Amino acid sequence: MSQYVYIGGGVIALAFVAWLIWFSYRAGKNNASVTTAQAATDSATAITTKAEAMAQAQADKPETESAVLARLDEGSA
C-alpha cells in the first residue's frame, strides 16, 4: 500500500514540475510578445512624429524666392 502512496506522490511531483515548466515558458513567451509590441509602438510613434514634422515643414515653407531670402536674413530658416 505504501508503494502506491510513493508512486502517487512521485506522479504529483512530476505533474507539478511539468506545470511549472509550462507556466514559465508561457510567461516568457508573453513577455517577449509585450516587448515586441512596445518596440513596434515606439517605432510607429517615431515615424508618425517625423511625418508630422515633414508635413508642418511643407505647410510652413516660403512661397517665393524673396520670402526664402527674407527668412535666411532673419535666421529663421
Side-chain angles (χ1 to χ4, degrees):
M1 179 71 176
S2 65
Q3 284 181 332
Y4 293 120
V5 172
Y6 290 134
I7 291 172
V11 168
I12 289 172
L14 184 62
F16 176 74
V17 169
W19 175 81
L20 192 60
I21 291 170
W22 174 82
F23 182 79
S24 299
Y25 172 74
R26 294 291 299 164
K29 191 174 180 182
N30 288 342
N31 184 31
S33 177
V34 168
T35 302
T36 302
Q38 183 63 41
T41 301
D42 293 344
S43 176
T45 301
I47 290 170
T48 302
T49 302
K50 187 181 288 185
E52 288 174 350
M54 289 171 59
Q56 188 63 44
Q58 182 73 18
D60 292 344
K61 74 177 184 180
E63 295 180 8
T64 63
E65 185 178 342
S66 61
V68 171
L69 294 174
R71 283 186 66 186
L72 286 172
D73 287 339
E74 292 173 3
S76 63

